[in-house]
Amino acid sequence: MRFTLLASGSTGNATLIETARTAVLIDAGLSARALVRRMTDLGFDPARLAALFITHEHTDHVGGLSVLSRQLALPVFIAPPARRQLRFKDRDMSTIPWADPLTAGQPVVIGDLTLTPVAVPHDAAEPFIFTATAAGIKLAVVTDLGYIPAHVAHHLTGCQALVLEANHDRDMLRAGPYPWELKQRISSRVGHLSNEDMARFLREDFDGAAAHIVLAHLSQHNNHPALARLAALQALDAHYPHRAWETVVTVAPAAGLPHWCPL
């Protein structure tokens, strides 16, 4: 298995996962043209995609859903409440190749990949994160959640890779340019994961299994890659002081990772 982030942040999100037999996309937050271009730039043929999985209905996760799914005839897996919140034209909604609806905790098998939706606290209709497993290898894509409940932490055990939200630094958010109401939403229990909450998970609940930790969905106004990475490294050093974590933790830029992460 290998994976990469085609985009990460408030301007768009998309995670590409590939095995020798199967490839899927989690979220399509950029235009179809931009997503196809970024896939081809990585040497990946978009025609290899077998399915599109959607975490929730916010624009930065579904911006390219309609066009990409129809162009590539991709079955779209999404929770029914999230599907009902989509604001596409009626004619587009009727021509999207919808797959069976997602249910929390119910795995979906696509080729040699198994994706499991896990319910998370976020201000959306029925938001999920996903774990993906193939041949005993496990990846989790964990973004857009206000905190990490115990049931989510349980699903993150045994992962060889984690894509983990580090949306904002609390002090930067407080002093930043956003309106007070937006700051409250972001920092709430159904908002986005802060550097501090990300670090708390790594310090208290992380099992140490992952060879790759990719910090994702960083705010361009309320965070800095160096701050997020430092918070993660300090937390990991506190929990596992004798391991060289510097080679494990990377930060995904808004434009996505320029490379694949092999597992």
Side-chain angles (χ1 to χ4, degrees), residues 113 160 198 248:
L113 264 172
Q160 282 69 44
M198 171 271 295
V248 175

Side-chain angles (χ1 to χ4, degrees), residues 28-63:
L30 300 179
S31 70
R33 177 176 295 184
L35 290 169
V36 166
R37 183 178 66 251
R38 294 188 186 190
M39 285 186 274
T40 55
D41 286 347
L42 286 164
F44 176 81
D45 180 3
R48 288 204 61 231
L49 285 173
L52 173 58
F53 288 78
I54 299 298
T55 57
H56 62 292
E57 73 276 10
H58 291 168
T59 304
D60 58 326
H61 295 261
V62 301

